[in-house]
Amino acid sequence: MRQWIDKLRQEKTLQSEEFRQLLTKCDAETLRHINKQAQEVSLQHFGNKIYIRGLIEVSNYCRNNCFYCGIRKGNPHIKRYRLSMESILDCCKEGYALGFRTFVLQGGEDPGLTDDRIEAIVVAIREQYPDCAITLSLGEKPYETYQRFFQAGANRYLLRHETYNEIHYSQLHPAEMSCKHRIQCLRNLKEIGYQTGSGIMVGSPGQTVEHLIQDILFIEKLRPEMIGIGPFLPHHDTPFAQFPNGTVEQTLLLLSIFRLMHLQH
Ligand code: SF4
């Protein structure tokens, strides 16, 4: 197994079959080894620093019904809120004073957060904090809308694709959502010039090793500037409440694989 890890570190990629071996036969010792390799590469790339982000959860309204998500439209048990522009700017003011230089505006696909409103918020943050990065995580939008937000001053966009496999995608999302559309959104974001983030849930219901290999190869091709990886955690008010969570081990394994593939070293 170690030869695949050494090869991954040197060549930054593997054949599908080699990824399969790594994902299916990784014991505790192998995991320690790949984590150590990835840690060395991360230290070379980032130094021994932690980069902090000022995450502002702007709204928990959403028009979608993703089966894994606690703020899905179909959940009647949560208290919904939407921050005013004033509250968001207050958060930025406090964050800036504390040393934050990246603000992330994150929320569901909230019809109440109109394009005009988001644009006005981005313009206001950009005017007041020209030295800060503005990251948006507000879901799927038309090309022109992404372009408007970019021109208003947003420079990063997070949109995890969750799974590249269309059948698996349809097991995680209702029929009106499409894997193709989400992937197109990611391509649009890159084309417009955003630093783009994508990624997956590890251990989501129905996920197989084949799906993970497809995700690794898709991310290799897309070359996003940010990769978000986290374990699937079942939310009690969703159709997936009874499914087991993704494991720490598999999440750490995938984190290490992505670090070895994507960090400059
Ligand atoms: S689009 Fe995002 S916020 Fe909305 S239900 Fe899906 S995962 Fe949740």
Side-chain angles (χ1 to χ4, degrees):
M1 197 61 56
R2 286 198 175 207
Q3 80 264 28
W4 305 137
I5 297 171
D6 294 343
K7 183 177 172 194
L8 186 59
R9 182 168 176 172
Q10 270 166 21
E11 297 178 17
K12 297 180 170 221
T13 192
L14 293 176
Q15 299 296 318
S16 296
E17 185 48 37
E18 296 163 348
F19 277 125
R20 187 174 297 109
Q21 299 273 336
L22 200 53
L23 289 166
T24 53
K25 300 206 168 69
C26 183
D27 58 15
E29 202 195 319
T30 310
L31 182 61
R32 267 195 301 277
H33 180 65
I34 192 168
N35 289 161
K36 189 164 176 291
Q37 300 295 312
Q39 189 190 30
E40 284 175 18
V41 165
S42 302
L43 282 170
Q44 277 173 28
H45 184 91
F46 295 113
N48 193 19
K49 293 182 198 155
I50 294 172
Y51 294 83
I52 52 170
R53 315 278 179 227
L55 188 62
I56 306 169
E57 297 281 359
V58 293
S59 165
N60 68 356
Y61 285 91
C62 188
R63 67 191 174 109
N64 290 329
N65 242 333
C66 307
F67 300 142
Y68 47 83
C69 179
I71 64 169
R72 63 202 301 272
K73 174 176 68 175
N75 179 6
H77 302 299
I78 59 164
K79 209 172 155 208
R80 305 277 175 177
Y81 73 91
R82 179 183 302 121
L83 296 187
S84 64
M85 160 123 71
E86 200 186 7
S87 300
I88 294 170
L89 291 174
D90 278 350
C91 289
C92 294
K93 190 173 174 191
E94 198 174 332
Y96 193 87
L98 289 167
F100 289 91
R101 292 295 179 268
T102 299
F103 300 122
V104 186
L105 307 186
Q106 181 165 280
E109 291 189 18
D110 175 2
L113 274 181
T114 60
D115 294 353
D116 286 348
R117 192 162 165 171
I118 295 169
E119 187 181 40
I121 293 167
V122 171
V123 165
I125 298 175
R126 177 52 66 226
E127 268 172 22
Q128 292 179 37
Y129 306 99
D131 56 331
C132 290
I134 302 174
T135 306
L136 301 178
S137 179
L138 299 168
E140 298 178 17
K141 309 273 180 200
Y143 189 97
E144 299 69 33
T145 304
Y146 285 148
Q147 210 164 27
R148 260 179 87 178
F149 297 163
F150 187 75
Q151 279 159 3
N155 37 13
R156 298 178 184 163
Y157 206 103
L158 303 174
L159 186 73
R160 297 212 310 200
H161 68 286
E162 306 300 1
T163 177
Y164 186 64
N165 181 280
E166 286 188 26
I167 294 171
H168 187 216
Y169 192 91
S170 70
Q171 291 165 353
L172 301 178
H173 302 92
E176 60 271 19
M177 293 182 73
S178 115
C179 185
K180 273 202 181 79
H181 187 257
R182 179 152 289 234
I183 300 301
Q184 188 55 50
C185 283
L186 283 165
R187 299 211 162 103
N188 292 347
L189 289 163
K190 293 270 297 178
E191 190 179 296
I192 291 167
Y194 282 98
Q195 290 180 35
T196 305
S198 194
I200 56 167
M201 277 180 296
V202 179
S204 58
Q207 186 178 64
T208 66
V209 169
E210 290 313 310
H211 298 153
L212 288 172
I213 295 168
Q214 289 171 18
D215 288 320
I216 290 170
L217 298 177
F218 164 66
I219 291 175
E220 180 180 32
K221 237 174 148 180
L222 182 73
R223 304 234 52 101
E225 284 75 16
M226 299 166 283
I227 303 173
I229 302 287
F232 162 73
L233 298 173
H235 186 284
H236 56 276
D237 274 330
T238 64
F240 288 162
Q242 304 307 324
F243 281 81
N245 55 273
T247 66
V248 174
E249 290 77 11
Q250 207 178 22
T251 306
L252 289 177
L253 173 61
L254 281 151
L255 263 174
S256 295
I257 289 173
F258 283 118
R259 285 184 173 173
L260 291 174
M261 289 179 77
H262 292 269
L263 293 181
Q264 297 305 325
H265 56 94

